[in-house]
């Protein structure tokens, strides 16, 4: 009997251990279970040296696995000899009852695990605000409160705070946030979390981390996780191949590989280090390999697992494998992992004789290259050692998918392989064919049948059989070449096409120089066979008619008589374009060495849809003949590092690459950094790199002074940084008109100031938000450029508009200077009652240092009205002027008992005859104190406090101004 009980207990114990291994990503031999090792706690908020913190501050730190209790100390001195708080608490946060205003405090935390005491954290300090500063918080957006979620990887989103660099995110299974599922600091206003726990109710909240303002937690949102049960037996657990379990000295950007699972549509990959709730990788992968873009922590143990997914069915998790990263390379310069170039990953229609190319690694003497017909490389077709960063592969099989990888030899890491790339070779039937008249006629017949020819608006000369190039065929231009009629132009734009253009016979049109099918209703993959049309110069597939009329081709429009004067704009919506193109742009389009213009914009079914083209091959950017390259507003395009081939496009005049799908809020598809060589493109006129959330543009690294043809440069919602490029406005670029780098996603953005000497002809200047520019907006900008359309300077540190006279502005639409330090100075005067103000739509003066007299002056051309009334009378779409910064200067007055104290600090600032005044002490109105000055007679200690002057004026509705504080001590 005793033996049976022992067996039963042992069985239960093993079952528990097995269950834990299935639900947790951490191996049972996790070193953090060692009671003798507790890491140093990481403090979160308030951040070190932060100011203006709440008087009831929340102290937050990162939890440590296994540590239930923490000792927290708070003091007014950094030696903690005298403490205001010295307590043991549970959890990783503590709210201190009200502190003293405008006082510096020091705090630190120590973890405890059972009876083991860990080390103290660093000591951080913060100073409190005066009592009436409102704390900064965020609004939770998604998932909404009381939502039911049917996913294990929900994405949490909240409103961004302009002053915030980071956010403290917490997710818990209890209302008090003691049982934390996720407790982390994130840099963006969203985060995806793996919910590997049981179904049930979860709670989440966010607090901004701001150095110069008090903050508080958002409200708490709840949701219920109800993942539908599914039969996972049809999807087996993947078999991992690399990194192997127990592997050491693994590259900092390792390639995770596993064997394919039959029926899998994609895979979910998890990897962590130490803390199972802190995923370093949690992503969906379409293939069977993945390599992170960022380095993992050096010399750290990581656990990883993977599962297959098909529809709503999730297969079993693989085993949990553990590996340990190396130090980052034997030369101390970081990982020596190789970056592959071409053929690009997933490319198709590759020739059977091709060159494999990869980036050179500094200090590498030779490389090992492998190419195989399977991702496990069990029987490689090529396994060679080479000294160059290229390898010529020949005699490959047709219609075969190959996998290839490269590693540096002699770097001390025999497993430091590159990411695995795959490509598929061309079929024999799609290999380039000798063109002929009969082949061209067959191509036209196949296109007519596939693209709904019977419904075309004009189908003269067209048929599904028996066509002759000797007839007059609508949209077809022919020439006699080598004794035969050949198609040289195929222009079917705006002709009612539907269905598909992906027909093999298009490869016969080897003499075609123009192919246009824009403004139709196609729903098609892009034909790889066009890669055979090596004489093609103009390829127009889809674009908006917001700017370019439908009867104009882009190259004809921008190169109109009189020179290159027009901008081919991608448009702000699909317009009347109805084409939908799906799948990958064929990599063999890189063979089109004569291509001058490619326009492939708005390929999704609608502005907010994600069903258009999915990837763009790097081979396309090897074409050096481009004059216009437009791949813009395609939401479904995956990430691509900024193609280095662009810097060799010396004929390029118009470039638009932006707005796609990436890891930053689904914005952008071009990643990496703008290379220094970009500044050598002297013929480039128009640049649009909008909304590439993972692209860095460092103006200190790219010299634009040689781009003397440049007219427009726009890159809002990218990682712009560095000093403002003076050459954009100082006359170095004589034709330059438009500059838009608004909403920089870099922590600092663009710094510096505008040049004092500014060229004429500027039309758009947008440096708004998350940049850090300063000084005055130059007066010469307004004087020399009277045709400014958009003047957007919000969210910087500008101190002046530069002038109060904007009567010369003729086309102004946006005048946005909010959230700067402008003033006190008068609002600018405009040409009231003339056509010069008819286009003005958006004006924002809020968040500056304007006072009522700046808003109520009466210009001589205003018919006796105040400047406020004149702006208000325009019926603007946006007119904002609220939330002005406190006026005047703060100071401290030492209180002497029995003395008379008069405060009259603000006469020069707020003086206006209609002002109404109210003095406050500690945020409470003082009865009868309604004059501009305040006199206290027979002062007593009870009069000590914080005084402010509050001002309103009936001439400006809805605005209350407050002074800086005057302290009586």
């Amino acid at each position: 009997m005793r033996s049976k009980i022992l067996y039963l207990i042992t069985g239960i114990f093993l079952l528990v251990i097995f269950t834990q291994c299935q639900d947790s990503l951490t191996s049972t031999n996790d070193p953090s279970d060692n009671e003798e090792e507790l890491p140093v706690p990481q403090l979160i908020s308030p951040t070190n040296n932060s100011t203006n913190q709440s008087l009831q501050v929340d102290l937050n730190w990162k939890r440590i696995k296994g540590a239930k209790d923490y000792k927290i100390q708070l003091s007014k001195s950094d030696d903690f000899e005298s403490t205001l708080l010295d307590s043991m608490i549970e959890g990783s946060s503590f709210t201190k009852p009200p502190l003293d205003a405008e006082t510096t405090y020091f705090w630190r935390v120590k973890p405890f695990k059972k009876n083991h005491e860990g080390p103290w954290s660093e000591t951080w300090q913060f100073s409190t605000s005066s009592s009436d500063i409102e704390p900064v918080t965020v609004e939770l957006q998604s998932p909404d409160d009381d939502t039911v979620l049917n996913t294990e990887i929900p994405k949490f989103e909240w409103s961004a705070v302009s002053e915030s660099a980071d956010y403290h995110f917490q997710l818990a299974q209890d209302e008090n946030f003691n049982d934390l599922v996720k407790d982390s600091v994130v840099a963006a206003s969203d985060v995806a979390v793996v919910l590997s726990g049981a179904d049930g109710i979860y709670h989440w909240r966010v607090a901004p981390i701001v150095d110069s303002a008090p903050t508080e937690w958002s409200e708490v949102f709840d949701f219920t996780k109800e993942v539908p049960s599914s039969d996972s037996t049809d999807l087996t657990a993947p078999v991992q191949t690399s990194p192997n379990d127990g592997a050491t000295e693994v590259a900092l950007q390792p390639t995770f590989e596993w064997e394919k699972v039959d029926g899998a549509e994609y895979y979910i990959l998890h990897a962590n280090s130490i803390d199972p709730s802190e995923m370093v990788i949690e992503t969906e992968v379409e293939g069977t390999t993945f390599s992170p873009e960022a380095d993992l922590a050096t010399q750290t143990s990581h656990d990883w697992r993977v599962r297959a997914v098909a529809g709503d069915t999730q297969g079993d998790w693989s085993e949990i494998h553990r590996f340990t990263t190396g130090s980052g390379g034997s030369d101390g310069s970081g990982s020596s992992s190789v970056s592959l170039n071409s053929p690009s990953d997933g490319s198709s229609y590759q020739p059977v004789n091709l060159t494999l190319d990869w980036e050179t690694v500094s200090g590498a003497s030779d490389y090992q290259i492998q190419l195989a017909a399977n991702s496990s490389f069990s029987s490689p077709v090529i396994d060679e050692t080479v000294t160059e960063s290229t390898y010529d592969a020949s005699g490959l099989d047709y219609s075969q998918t190959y996998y290839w990888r490269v590693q540096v030899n002699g770097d001390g890491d025999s497993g430091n392989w590159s990411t695995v790339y795959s490509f598929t070779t061309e079929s024999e039937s799609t290999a380039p064919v000798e063109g002929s008249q009969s082949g061209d006629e067959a191509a036209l017949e196949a296109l007519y049948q596939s693209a709904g020819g019977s419904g075309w608006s004009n189908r003269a000369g067209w048929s599904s059989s028996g066509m002759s190039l000797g007839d007059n065929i609508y949209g077809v231009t022919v020439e006699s070449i080598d004794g035969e009629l050949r198609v040289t132009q195929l222009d079917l734009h705006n002709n009612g096409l539907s269905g598909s253009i992906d027909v093999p016979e298009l490869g016969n049109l080897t003499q075609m120089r123009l192919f246009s099918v824009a403004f139709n209703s196609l729903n098609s993959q892009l034909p790889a066979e066009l890669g055979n049309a090596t004489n093609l110069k103009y390829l127009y597939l889809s674009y908006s008619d917001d700017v370019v009329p439908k009867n104009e081709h882009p190259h004809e429009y921008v190169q109109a008589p009189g020179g290159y004067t027009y901008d081919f704009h991608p448009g702000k919506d699909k317009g009347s374009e109805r084409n939908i193109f799906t799948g990958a742009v064929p990599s063999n389009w890189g063979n089109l060495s004569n291509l001058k213009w490619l326009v492939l914009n708005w390929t999704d079914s609608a502005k907010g849809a994600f069903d258009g083209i999915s990837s763009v091959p790097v081979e396309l950017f090897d074409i050096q003949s481009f004059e216009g390259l437009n791949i813009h507003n395609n939401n479904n395009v995956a990430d691509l590092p900024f193609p280095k081939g662009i810097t060799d496009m010396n004929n390029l005049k118009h470039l638009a690459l932006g707005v796609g799908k990436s890891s930053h809020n689904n914005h952008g598809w071009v990643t990496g950094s703008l290379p220094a060589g970009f500044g050598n493109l002297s013929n480039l006129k128009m640049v649009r790199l909008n909304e590439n959330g993972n692209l860095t543009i460092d103006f200190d690294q790219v010299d634009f002074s040689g781009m003397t043809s440049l007219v427009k440069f726009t890159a809002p919602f990218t990682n712009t940084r560095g000093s403002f490029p003076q050459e954009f406005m100082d006359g170095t670029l004589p034709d330059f008109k438009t500059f838009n780098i608004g909403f920089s996603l870099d922590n600092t953005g663009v710094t510096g100031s505008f040049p004092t000497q500014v060229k004429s002809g500027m039309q758009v200047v947008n440096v708004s938000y998350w940049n850090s520019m300063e000084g005055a907006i130059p007066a010469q900008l307004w004087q020399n450029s009277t045709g400014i359309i958009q003047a957007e300077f919000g969210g910087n540190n500008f101190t002046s508009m530069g002038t109060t006279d904007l009567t010369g502005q003729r086309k102004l639409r946006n005048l946005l200077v909010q959230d700067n330090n402008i003033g006190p100075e008068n609002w600018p005067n405009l040409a009231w009652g003339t056509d010069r103000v008819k286009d003005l739509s958006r004006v924002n003066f809020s968040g500056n240092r304007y006072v009522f007299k700046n808003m109520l002056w009466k210009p001589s051309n205003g018919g006796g009205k105040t400047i406020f009334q004149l702006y208000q009378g325009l019926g603007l779409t946006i007119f904002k002027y609220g939330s002005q910064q406190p006026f005047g200067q703060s100071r401290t007055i030492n209180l002497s008992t029995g003395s008379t104290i008069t405060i009259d600090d603000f006469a020069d600032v707020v003086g206006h005859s209609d002002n109404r005044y109210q003095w406050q002490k500690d945020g409470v109105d003082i009865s009868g104190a309604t004059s501009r000055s305040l006199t206290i007679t027979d002062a007593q200690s009870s009069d000590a406090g914080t005084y402010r002057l509050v001002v309103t004026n009936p001439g400006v509705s809805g605005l209350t101004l407050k002074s800086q504080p005057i302290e009586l001590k």
Side-chain angles (χ1 to χ4, degrees):
M1 181 65 182
R2 184 176 302 171
S3 299
K4 292 182 179 179
I5 293 175
L6 180 60
Y7 292 149
L8 178 60
I9 293 174
T10 302
I12 293 173
F13 174 77
L14 292 174
L15 179 60
V16 169
I17 293 298
F18 176 78
T19 304
Q20 289 176 340
C21 289
Q22 293 298 311
D23 292 338
S24 170
L25 183 49
T26 303
S27 301
T28 56
N29 61 344
D30 192 332
S32 65
D33 286 337
N34 185 346
E35 290 187 21
E36 300 308 316
E37 296 180 5
L38 277 175
V40 175
Q42 299 177 26
L43 306 186
I44 295 177
S45 65
T47 56
N48 196 23
N49 297 312
S50 58
T51 58
N52 289 325
Q53 295 302 307
S54 171
L55 303 188
Q56 189 151 332
V57 67
D58 290 327
L59 304 174
N60 297 278
W61 56 94
K62 195 176 183 66
R63 68 172 181 170
I64 294 174
K65 183 184 178 185
K68 182 179 181 183
D69 299 317
Y70 298 85
K71 186 173 187 177
I72 180 170
Q73 289 185 342
L74 179 71
S75 175
K76 290 185 178 181
S77 61
D78 57 4
D79 58 10
F80 294 92
E81 288 188 0
S82 175
T83 59
L84 303 171
L85 173 68
D86 189 358
S87 302
M88 292 288 293
I89 66 167
E90 293 185 7
S92 58
S93 65
F94 181 80
T95 301
K96 180 72 177 72
L99 302 173
D100 294 336
E102 297 188 339
T103 302
T104 298
Y105 291 92
F106 301 85
W107 68 292
R108 61 183 181 178
V109 172
K110 176 187 290 188
F112 285 81
K113 182 178 182 181
K114 295 183 180 179
N115 296 321
H116 180 62
E117 178 178 330
W120 282 110
S121 67
E122 294 180 352
T123 296
W124 279 11
Q125 70 181 68
F126 64 90
S127 59
T128 52
S129 66
S130 58
S131 58
D132 60 350
I133 293 182
E134 290 292 327
V136 178
T137 189
V138 302
E139 294 183 5
L140 305 187
Q141 294 176 342
S142 176
D144 204 356
D145 198 17
D146 295 325
T147 299
V148 177
L149 299 182
N150 304 120
T151 176
E152 284 191 334
I153 313 180
K155 184 177 183 180
F156 298 86
E157 299 176 324
W158 54 89
S159 63
V161 174
S162 61
E163 304 97 325
S164 177
D166 299 301
Y167 301 87
H168 188 184
F169 173 86
Q170 285 189 341
L171 174 67
Q173 290 187 286
D174 68 304
E175 295 180 352
N176 297 321
F177 288 85
N178 290 324
D179 185 11
L180 289 170
V181 176
K182 184 83 169 178
D183 182 22
S184 60
V185 174
V186 295
S189 57
D190 60 72
V191 65
V193 179
V194 177
L195 297 179
S196 56
D199 289 358
I201 298 176
Y202 289 79
H203 315 268
W204 68 290
R205 63 182 181 179
V206 178
I209 300 176
V210 180
D211 291 340
S212 58
T215 64
E216 65 181 8
W217 286 105
S218 66
E219 62 177 315
V220 176
F221 273 15
D222 303 334
F223 66 89
T224 303
K225 174 192 170 190
E226 291 183 1
V227 179
S229 60
S230 59
D231 182 6
S232 64
T233 57
D234 293 334
L235 292 173
T236 59
V239 176
Q240 297 141 286
T241 58
S242 178
N244 293 326
D245 194 21
T248 59
E249 295 298 321
V250 173
L252 302 186
Q253 295 183 27
T255 298
F256 295 89
E257 299 182 52
W258 54 91
E259 293 182 6
K260 181 179 179 181
V261 174
D262 291 339
E265 296 176 0
Y266 63 94
Y267 300 84
I268 297 174
L269 173 66
H270 291 176
N272 70 11
S273 62
I274 303 178
D275 188 342
S277 70
E278 293 296 325
M279 294 290 180
V280 295
I281 297 173
E282 43 187 351
T283 187
E284 296 178 356
V285 183
E286 292 188 359
T288 57
T289 63
F290 176 82
S291 184
E293 293 184 359
D295 287 355
L296 301 181
T298 60
Q299 296 179 320
T300 302
S301 293
H302 295 76
D303 297 315
W304 73 285
R305 65 179 180 179
V306 64
R307 77 190 318 175
V309 181
D312 294 331
T313 300
Q314 296 184 343
D316 294 329
W317 285 108
S318 67
E319 297 177 353
I320 297 171
H321 280 190
R322 168 161 290 186
F323 64 90
T324 303
T325 50
S327 60
S330 57
D331 61 355
S333 60
S335 173
S336 58
S337 181
V338 176
S339 297
L340 305 186
N341 288 334
S342 63
S344 58
D345 191 25
S347 59
S348 55
Y349 298 97
Q350 292 294 321
V352 293
N353 303 309
L354 52 73
T355 299
L356 304 170
D357 177 86
W358 58 92
E359 293 285 347
T360 301
V361 175
S362 177
S365 58
D366 52 57
Y367 306 87
Q368 182 182 3
I369 178 171
Q370 290 186 342
L371 180 134
N374 58 70
S375 60
S376 65
F377 294 89
S378 55
S379 299
V381 177
I382 295 171
D383 188 356
E384 299 285 347
T385 297
V386 296
T387 58
E388 303 295 327
S389 59
T390 60
Y391 182 87
D392 293 328
S394 60
L396 302 181
D397 294 335
Y398 287 107
S399 302
Q400 174 65 51
T401 297
Y402 287 97
Y403 302 84
W404 66 291
R405 63 183 182 180
V406 179
Q407 72 169 339
V408 174
N409 279 337
D411 66 348
D413 186 353
S414 61
N416 193 17
W417 287 103
S418 66
T419 299
V420 175
Y421 274 16
S422 68
F423 63 88
T424 303
T425 53
E426 62 194 351
S427 64
E428 290 188 79
S429 61
T430 60
V433 296
E434 188 69 30
S436 64
Q437 178 174 337
S438 60
D440 287 5
E441 291 165 345
L444 300 182
E445 292 166 359
L447 181 63
Y448 179 83
Q449 187 169 3
S450 179
S454 61
W456 291 1
S457 302
N458 190 332
R459 55 182 187 274
W462 286 85
S463 174
S464 59
S465 62
M467 290 183 65
S468 171
L469 295 186
D471 297 336
N472 186 16
I473 306 173
Y474 174 78
V476 178
T477 301
V478 300
E479 296 179 18
S480 177
I481 300 175
D482 295 333
E484 283 192 305
L485 292 178
R486 301 297 308 277
V487 174
T488 57
Q489 293 191 37
L490 182 50
D491 186 358
L492 295 172
H493 77 279
N494 195 29
N495 196 44
L497 276 67
S498 60
S500 174
I501 60 171
D502 188 15
V503 292
E505 291 84 354
L506 279 183
N508 299 339
L509 302 175
T510 56
Q511 295 296 330
M512 182 169 61
R513 296 193 287 271
L514 182 146
F515 182 65
S516 177
V517 291
F519 301 110
N520 286 293
S521 298
L522 295 165
N523 192 334
S524 173
Q525 290 201 359
L526 296 169
E529 290 76 14
L530 276 179
N532 298 339
T534 54
N535 287 295
L536 196 61
K537 294 183 177 180
Y538 304 103
L539 180 55
Y540 302 124
L541 298 167
S542 58
Y543 55 91
S544 173
D545 59 354
D546 276 7
V547 177
V548 181
K550 284 188 289 187
N551 60 348
E552 300 267 14
H553 287 310
H555 72 280
E556 296 170 348
Y557 182 75
V558 299
Q559 299 173 131
Y564 192 106
T565 57
Y566 298 102
D567 175 21
F568 173 51
H569 196 293
K572 296 183 177 180
D573 206 336
K574 283 179 72 76
S576 60
E577 177 65 83
R578 294 292 177 265
N579 286 342
I580 303 170
F581 291 109
T582 61
V585 176
S587 56
N588 70 333
W589 283 14
N591 300 332
L592 303 177
S593 57
N594 293 302
L595 196 60
K596 292 185 175 182
W597 271 83
L598 169 63
V599 182
L600 185 60
N601 303 338
W602 297 103
T603 60
D604 303 280
S605 60
K607 184 175 182 179
F610 288 79
D611 51 8
I613 60 171
S614 59
S615 64
V616 179
V618 69
E619 289 85 353
L620 191 67
F621 300 95
D622 293 332
I623 301 173
Q624 297 184 17
S625 55
F626 272 126
E627 295 179 3
L629 177 55
N630 283 260
I631 307 176
H632 208 272
N633 289 106
N634 299 294
N635 296 332
N636 200 37
V637 179
D639 289 351
L640 178 74
F642 191 92
K644 63 179 182 179
I646 289 179
T647 60
D648 296 323
M649 298 179 186
N650 295 321
N651 298 316
L652 192 63
K653 298 178 179 178
H654 196 288
L655 177 68
L657 305 173
V659 190
K661 181 172 64 177
S662 80
S663 56
H664 184 86
N665 293 334
N666 288 330
H667 284 306
W669 59 280
V670 181
T671 66
S673 298
L674 195 69
F678 189 81
N680 299 327
L681 299 176
S682 59
N683 289 308
L684 197 56
K685 298 177 180 292
M686 307 289 177
V687 178
R688 278 191 178 83
L689 299 171
N690 303 13
E691 297 187 43
N692 286 303
N694 289 321
L695 175 65
T696 295
I697 301 175
D698 191 335
F699 291 114
D700 290 337
Q701 301 300 319
V702 183
D703 181 4
F704 290 85
S705 60
M707 301 178 71
T708 52
S709 300
L710 196 62
V711 176
K712 174 178 289 190
F713 184 93
T714 68
F717 292 99
T718 60
N719 290 284
T720 48
R721 64 173 64 159
S723 303
F724 179 81
Q726 304 288 295
E727 58 267 30
F728 280 171
M729 292 175 60
D730 66 4
T732 302
L733 311 180
D735 298 324
F736 193 72
K737 292 180 173 64
T738 295
F739 181 66
N740 183 350
I741 57 165
F743 298 93
S744 172
L745 300 177
D746 185 76
N747 288 337
T748 303
V750 174
T751 61
S753 57
F754 290 123
T756 54
Q757 301 296 316
V758 179
K759 67 179 292 294
S760 61
M762 294 300 298
Q763 293 181 347
V764 175
V765 181
N766 186 342
V767 294
S768 58
Y769 280 105
W770 311 325
N771 290 301
S772 302
M773 295 191 64
E774 57 191 11
I777 300 167
Q780 276 201 355
L781 173 64
W782 310 106
Q783 295 164 3
N784 295 348
S785 299
T786 58
I788 295 177
I789 299 171
Q790 297 177 26
E792 303 187 19
F793 305 98
N796 283 273
N797 299 308
F798 292 115
T799 55
S800 172
M801 287 277 292
T803 182
T804 60
D805 183 8
L806 298 186
T807 56
Q809 292 302 315
R810 300 173 288 108
K811 299 181 179 181
L812 202 58
R813 297 179 191 169
N814 298 342
L815 180 59
L816 307 176
V817 296
Q818 70 276 16
D819 297 329
N820 280 287
N821 293 305
I822 298 175
E825 65 181 30
N826 287 346
W827 282 2
N829 191 27
L830 302 177
W832 311 107
T834 71
D835 285 346
R836 294 188 173 191
V837 294
K838 66 181 177 63
D839 294 328
L840 191 60
S841 173
R842 303 166 70 217
V843 174
N844 195 337
F845 294 119
S846 61
N848 284 289
R849 298 186 180 278
Y850 294 113
V851 294
F852 288 118
K853 66 180 183 181
N854 304 143
M855 311 173 194
L856 295 172
W857 71 285
K858 296 180 179 180
S860 59
N861 64 335
K865 294 182 178 180
T866 67
I867 198 80
F868 177 83
Q869 291 171 327
L870 292 166
Y871 275 106
Q872 193 175 47
L874 291 177
L876 301 169
T877 303
I878 292 177
F879 178 41
K880 295 184 178 181
Y881 50 88
S883 303
Q884 296 298 323
Q885 297 180 38
F887 57 82
Q889 298 293 324
S890 62
R891 69 182 178 109
T892 299
I893 300 174
N894 292 323
L895 186 152
S896 178
T897 303
S899 64
T900 298
I901 299 173
T902 298
I903 307 175
D904 190 8
D905 290 42
F906 310 116
D908 295 337
V909 181
V910 298
H912 188 274
S913 58
D914 295 331
N915 281 352
R916 296 175 181 177
Y917 302 105
Q918 175 63 62
W919 282 92
Q920 294 180 342
K921 177 192 174 194
D922 297 333
V924 178
D925 289 352
I926 302 173
S927 177
T930 56
S931 299
R932 192 188 64 212
S933 63
L934 176 67
T935 298
I936 301 172
T937 59
D938 191 20
Q940 301 297 316
S941 59
S942 58
D943 292 317
T946 301
Y947 290 80
R948 290 181 185 270
L949 178 60
V950 179
V951 188
T952 58
N953 191 300
V956 179
S957 58
L959 178 62
T960 298
L961 303 180
K962 289 187 177 184
S963 73
Q964 292 282 1
I966 303 294
E967 297 289 339
L968 263 63
K969 291 187 176 180

